[in-house]
Amino acid sequence: MRTQVAIIGAGPSGLLLGQLLHKAGIDNIIIERQSGDYVLGRIRAGILEQITVDLLAEAGVGERVKTDGTVHHSIELVFSGKRHAIDVHGLTGGKVVTAYGQTEVTRDLMDARSAAGLPTVYSAANVTVNDFDTDHPVVRYEKDGQTHEVTCDFIAGCDGFHGVCRASVPEGAITEYEKVYPFGWLGVLADVPPVSTHAIVYANSERGFGLCSMRSLTRSRYYVQCPIDDKVEAWSDDRFWDELRRRLDPDMAERMVTGPSIEKSIAPLRSFVAEPMRFGRLFLAGDAAHIVPPTGAKGLNLAASDVKYLSSAFIDHYIEKSSAGIDNYSQQALARVWRAERFSWWLTSLMHQFPDTAGFGQKVQEAELDYLVNSEALSRSLAENYVGLPLDFDVGLPLDFGRR
Ligand code: RFL
Ligand code: PHB
């Protein structure tokens, strides 16, 4: 088979890229290792920047996020047993985020892809990406006992952190930056009304971090920081609810409705960036190129901004006959990636218990949080990062920035 762009991975990056390319008349195929049901079963992100919501609309799947998503105008920070609201909307000149699950984003994109009759190969085994340093890259995979070959102009590596694309780049051509955090997040999904529907709640406490999020007005997503080597089986539902309550302010702890979990898992926390994001005719996007700890809610949003840059680059190539987008892709994407890496690392450092936090470290975290909620400048910095930095920094900054 022959196509213009072969996309590896049917997570949000791959599906969104496929849809944007299709809208521009560019042929693509998606090759995914797992089954469609497996991909939809992964419970992950929940908060979308406006840029991501706008991109979904551009991809033709903007309706359900508008009707079923919940717009958040603020975020809430809990520390020293008290809750403080940050008016994100007011501090950013009217920007908001939308609570809408990654599962739903994926479902919307999958439905649109199958309605348009676009080719997706699920359950593809032993995918390999080859010859991307030539003008004729080839993707091979096995399915139903047969080997298949796709020749293409470009390969888009949208295959996540453990994918084959980044791993196929010669060692000397890539630089990796990594920070692994000494704890994990235990996440629980439950069909109970969220304790807060108007804002995500981020809690700093001497017992560790806690987070209250939502998927809908009847489905909640909550997390507690836990030791990295903890086993899910060690966390009964009762133990989880008890621990989360102890990390919140008394009012919220009292109001929180609990119930049986429908999903429970532990995720490690990591900061990671691979540079560059282009190797000849192979381009990396999303988690294949970078990981952020989930504290800033940036992973899915960064995947979306990569895909915006990459789809524009391919459109430049095929429609405008210009290589500028392709040549600039890595540098442009990495500029935004590093800003989000910094924000996610900072918020993670501020909110979690590290091995040396107890005592002095805890007091300094509380002092910084106190400064943050009482300083308009710091609150605005948090707010503008939370809603998402502009796609083009030069456009986003006032012309006299730095001279005032
Ligand atoms: P994905 O979603 O990992 O998809 C990659 C796909 O590639 C497939 N694949 C392969 N296919 C073919 N051949 C191979 N050899 C392959 N190897 C892998 C995989 O099966 C998969 O289907 O990457 P993508 O598309 O780049 O999307 C990234 C996002 O999924 C991720 O950044 C977010 O979920 C991160 N994240 C959050 N992001 C946000 O923006 N807001 C949030 O609120 C947020 N919360 C979170 C999160 C991630 C979490 N976890 C579990 C790490 C909360 C958590 C707990
Ligand atoms: C989620 O809803 O899963 C979620 C929300 C905010 C975060 C991380 C995860 O910072």
Side-chain angles (χ1 to χ4, degrees):
M1 162 168 191
R2 149 131 206 111
T3 190
Q4 290 176 303
V5 181
I7 301 172
I8 315 301
S13 305
L15 288 165
L16 184 57
L17 179 63
Q19 202 61 20
L20 291 170
L21 293 182
H22 166 66
K23 291 263 157 193
I26 300 170
D27 276 354
N28 63 85
I29 181 171
I30 298 185
I31 300 162
E32 162 64 49
R33 180 168 59 182
Q34 306 288 357
S35 69
D37 285 346
Y38 182 94
V39 170
L40 276 176
R42 293 188 296 225
I43 309 295
R44 289 187 171 174
I47 291 293
L48 307 185
E49 296 172 357
Q50 191 58 44
I51 287 176
T52 306
V53 173
D54 292 345
L55 259 184
L56 293 175
E58 200 178 317
V61 294
E63 280 314 306
R64 220 157 62 86
V65 61
K66 249 198 292 173
T67 52
D68 295 5
T70 306
V71 170
H72 286 176
H73 290 79
S74 58
I75 62 180
E76 300 211 329
L77 298 178
V78 174
F79 59 95
S80 309
K82 293 205 174 69
R83 188 154 36 95
H84 307 259
I86 306 258
D87 175 14
V88 166
H89 182 262
L91 287 162
T92 57
K95 295 190 178 154
V96 295
V97 296
T98 302
Y100 188 68
Q102 178 166 331
T103 312
E104 304 311 313
V105 172
T106 308
R107 192 190 313 278
D108 294 347
L109 286 163
M110 274 182 175
D111 288 352
R113 191 166 177 88
S114 59
L118 304 177
T120 314
V121 181
Y122 284 102
S123 308
N126 298 321
V127 177
T128 60
V129 292
N130 312 274
D131 305 335
F132 49 84
D133 54 346
T134 74
D135 287 347
H136 305 286
V138 180
V139 178
R140 293 191 188 90
Y141 63 92
E142 288 164 22
K143 174 130 183 157
D144 303 329
Q146 292 201 334
T147 302
H148 301 259
E149 197 168 278
V150 179
T151 56
C152 55
D153 299 332
F154 300 104
I155 301 173
C158 299
D159 51 347
F161 183 65
H162 299 288
V164 68
C165 291
R166 194 182 71 251
S168 303
V169 173
E171 218 175 280
I174 193 165
T175 307
E176 298 184 347
Y177 301 89
E178 184 171 49
K179 181 175 174 63
V180 177
Y181 298 85
F183 41 74
W185 276 19
L186 170 67
V188 158
L189 191 69
D191 277 332
V192 292
V195 67
S196 165
T197 53
H198 65 279
I200 304 291
V201 181
Y202 295 85
N204 169 295
S205 91
E206 286 177 7
R207 300 184 65 86
F209 175 70
L211 187 147
C212 304
S213 181
M214 58 181 287
R215 290 293 176 269
S216 70
L217 295 178
T218 54
R219 182 167 285 187
S220 300
R221 179 68 166 162
Y222 296 134
Y223 301 92
V224 293
Q225 175 187 351
C226 67
I228 188 63
D229 47 8
D230 261 15
K231 299 276 171 282
V232 174
E233 301 73 50
W235 285 88
S236 65
D237 288 354
D238 283 347
R239 181 178 170 207
F240 175 82
W241 293 119
D242 183 49
E243 188 57 47
L244 179 58
R245 277 210 173 96
R246 294 172 78 167
R247 298 181 186 194
L248 299 174
D249 61 295
D251 164 58
M252 214 162 237
E254 161 110 33
R255 280 195 290 112
M256 194 166 63
V257 180
T258 64
S261 62
I262 51 177
E263 196 265 357
K264 199 188 281 162
S265 52
I266 294 178
L269 269 72
R270 181 195 308 271
S271 297
F272 173 87
V273 182
E275 292 190 355
M277 289 169 62
R278 174 198 178 180
F279 308 88
R281 287 178 171 255
L282 169 66
F283 296 78
L284 302 181
D287 280 15
H290 42 74
I291 296 285
V292 285
T295 324
K298 290 287 160 239
L300 172 59
N301 293 300
L302 272 187
S305 56
D306 285 357
V307 163
K308 172 66 185 169
Y309 297 133
L310 189 54
S311 59
S312 304
F314 288 143
I315 291 168
D316 272 5
H317 172 84
Y318 285 110
I319 318 260
E320 309 292 333
K321 311 286 178 216
S322 156
S323 68
I326 281 176
D327 293 339
N328 290 337
Y329 169 68
S330 179
Q331 201 189 350
Q332 191 174 33
L334 282 167
R336 194 166 192 274
V337 165
W338 275 113
R339 301 264 186 128
E341 289 283 344
R342 183 212 67 82
F343 174 66
S344 306
W345 159 82
W346 168 75
L347 197 56
T348 302
S349 308
L350 180 61
M351 299 304 294
H352 289 77
Q353 285 280 320
F354 287 73
D356 62 353
T357 299
F360 184 81
Q362 178 67 29
K363 286 289 186 191
V364 168
Q365 283 184 346
E366 288 169 9
E368 183 168 350
L369 283 160
D370 191 40
Y371 181 24
L372 173 59
V373 299
N374 287 296
S375 155
E376 190 178 321
L378 281 200
S379 294
R380 177 167 291 122
S381 166
L382 170 67
E384 68 188 19
N385 279 279
Y386 190 64
V387 298
L389 295 174
L391 282 168
D392 181 338
F393 296 120
D394 292 333
V395 172
L397 294 172
L399 286 177
D400 61 347
F401 180 77
R403 274 186 267 125
R404 278 181 297 178

